[in-house]
Amino acid sequence: MKIDIKNFMKEKIRWAFILDKDEFVRLSLNKILKKYGFQVEEIEDFSQLERRKKDIKGGMVLADVEIEVLEGWLPLLRKWNDRFILMSPLVTDELTIRLKKIGIQRIIKKPVDPRMLRRHIREISFPDERKIASFGKKREGSHIDQKG
């Protein structure tokens, strides 16, 4: 088997960071994201992401954390802006408004539907990479999915 080194070196790694206390959710997301071509890393808190920011220029973050935790990490999260997806079991209008005020536009209701996650991923622009084509027309407005 011959490997084309030039093309191999040009290949960009797309990172996905998962922050969730539930081991089953982490395992499920890990499997889904690897299937979508991501290098996955589970993190316990945003400080781990802060330490990796020099190594990783692009990637995305999926997190299930309280809004107060998000507000404490706003400078770091602004770097990830459109590549941050909040997962929450309860999505209310009040929560949505608060999140929009701090710059969080993508919210997925838990349990996470892999099709909804894939749709969000297709809408994300990653640095040094072309935007992944979406399935259909892009919708206007926020990127909040509520299943049910």
Side-chain angles (χ1 to χ4, degrees), residues 18-62:
I18 301 170
L19 175 55
D20 195 302
K21 292 178 183 174
D22 186 320
E23 183 179 4
F24 178 75
V25 171
R26 290 192 317 268
L27 290 171
S28 298
L29 288 172
N30 202 315
K31 184 178 179 180
I32 292 166
L33 292 166
K34 283 183 177 178
K35 180 180 175 185
Y36 294 162
F38 285 89
Q39 176 71 37
V40 180
E41 185 172 322
E42 296 175 15
I43 58 175
E44 293 179 18
D45 58 48
F46 289 118
S47 67
Q48 289 179 282
L49 197 58
E50 174 74 22
R51 288 191 296 270
R52 297 290 308 276
K53 73 181 180 182
K54 291 181 182 177
D55 301 331
I56 299 169
K57 295 185 184 347
M60 64 180 231
V61 178
L62 287 103

Side-chain angles (χ1 to χ4, degrees), residues 100-118:
K100 282 185 177 184
K101 284 182 181 178
I102 63 172
I104 305 297
Q105 299 295 322
R106 299 183 186 281
I107 308 165
I108 295 180
K109 185 171 180 176
K110 287 175 85 174
V112 174
D113 178 344
R115 293 170 297 179
M116 289 294 136
L117 178 58
R118 184 170 177 88

Side-chain angles (χ1 to χ4, degrees), residues 29 38 51 66 70 72 85 88 93 98 130:
L29 288 172
F38 285 89
R51 288 191 296 270
E66 299 294 323
L70 291 173
I85 300 173
S88 177
D93 290 340
R98 273 184 82 185
R130 289 184 308 201

Side-chain angles (χ1 to χ4, degrees), residues 1 3 36 55 121-122:
M1 177 184 202
I3 297 175
Y36 294 162
D55 301 331
I121 291 170
R122 287 180 170 270

